[in-house]
Amino acid sequence: MELMERYQGAAFELLEKVQATQKEAIRKAGEIVADAVEQGHRIYFSRVVHGIEQDLIRRGGGPIFYLPYKKDETELKEGDVLFIGSVSGRSTDAVELAYDSAAAGVKVIVLTSLAYSNAVEPVHASGKRLYEIAALAIDMCAPVAEAMLEVEGLDAKFAASSGIASIFILWSLTSVAVEKMMADGCTPGVFRSHNFPGGPEHNEAIDAHYVEFGW
């Protein structure tokens, strides 16, 4: 079997595992997001693995209520939601942010690999890993050390898993949030592509609505 086919098979298997085992956590995360937005709170993304969160922020098809977390600029408030992602669950900056945010009353939702996290020792002064701090942890189901495939001739495993798992999880929980908000009568603005006719005008209108209503 060629390497591309092996990779695709492993990727589908990973997503099927996430779908089968994380459905309730994903649904709960979406409900937390919807409730927070409806109550006037903000939803922030810190860095999720290597920047996967950018696929949801201010782009065509994405909801308006996602905001980037910017260190030294963003003022997190009690009741806000903050997403943090680290496949190992022990990255010092990520754990520090989660620890401080949770202590301030922010609802921290983490994406991590429980298998990986439990295979390594924590390095934060609290002695904790991300999943031990979060209000809710969603398991990426990534293998220990991230990569999926043994390839003859390569001295390390090939093909990272956390990116595809994370984007699948994030869009899944966003689907839950949007559906719940619509059912609750708070239909959120969704961006159109800026390069499609009418896109800029549509986006300007939903920006104005977001400033007034928060969704």
Side-chain angles (χ1 to χ4, degrees):
M1 183 184 295
E2 65 179 8
L3 187 55
M4 180 185 73
E5 292 176 334
R6 289 185 61 203
Y7 167 73
Q8 291 178 344
F12 284 128
E13 184 177 338
L14 174 67
L15 297 183
E16 287 170 357
K17 184 175 182 180
V18 171
Q19 184 181 44
T21 65
Q22 301 304 302
K23 183 177 293 185
E24 290 309 312
I26 288 170
R27 181 175 289 115
K28 180 62 176 176
E31 292 170 351
I32 289 172
V33 168
D35 288 342
V37 173
E38 291 175 16
Q39 293 165 16
H41 301 296
R42 296 290 184 257
I43 314 298
Y44 293 100
F45 277 114
S46 181
R47 190 176 177 90
V48 176
V49 293
H50 290 266
I52 294 299
E53 77 285 349
Q54 294 298 323
D55 196 58
L56 292 96
I57 299 175
R58 296 194 68 85
R59 54 88 46 85
I64 196 169
F65 52 71
Y66 285 143
L67 303 168
Y69 171 82
K70 299 179 180 180
K71 186 177 181 180
D72 299 325
E73 293 183 30
T74 300
E75 182 183 356
L76 293 170
K77 298 179 180 179
E78 184 175 359
D80 288 344
V81 176
L82 175 65
F83 284 91
I84 304 175
S86 167
V87 63
S88 71
R90 72 168 193 163
S91 301
T92 304
D93 289 348
V95 176
E96 182 76 12
L97 177 59
Y99 189 85
D100 291 345
S101 299
V106 174
K107 296 177 181 177
V108 177
I109 300 176
V110 305
L111 280 66
T112 192
S113 165
L114 295 182
Y116 196 168
S117 289
N118 287 312
V120 294
E121 293 296 324
V123 294
H124 188 259
S126 67
K128 295 183 181 297
R129 289 153 291 200
L130 272 180
Y131 79 88
E132 297 170 300
I133 299 170
L136 178 66
I138 305 175
D139 189 359
M140 299 173 184
C141 299
V144 175
E146 170 81 55
M148 296 186 288
L149 300 174
E150 294 276 7
V151 178
E152 186 176 355
L154 297 182
D155 59 3
K157 281 189 174 181
F158 172 75
S161 55
S162 60
I164 54 173
S166 295
I167 199 62
F168 181 72
I169 289 166
L170 291 175
W171 277 111
S172 295
L173 70 87
T174 301
S175 302
V176 173
V178 168
E179 185 172 50
K180 185 179 189 304
M181 289 182 65
M182 292 176 69
D184 293 343
C186 299
T187 300
V190 173
F191 288 105
R192 289 179 181 168
S193 172
H194 188 79
N195 293 304
F196 192 79
E201 295 80 8
H202 169 84
N203 297 340
E204 183 177 348
I206 66 169
D207 270 329
H209 187 276
Y210 179 75
V211 169
E212 184 174 358
F213 297 102
W215 42 270

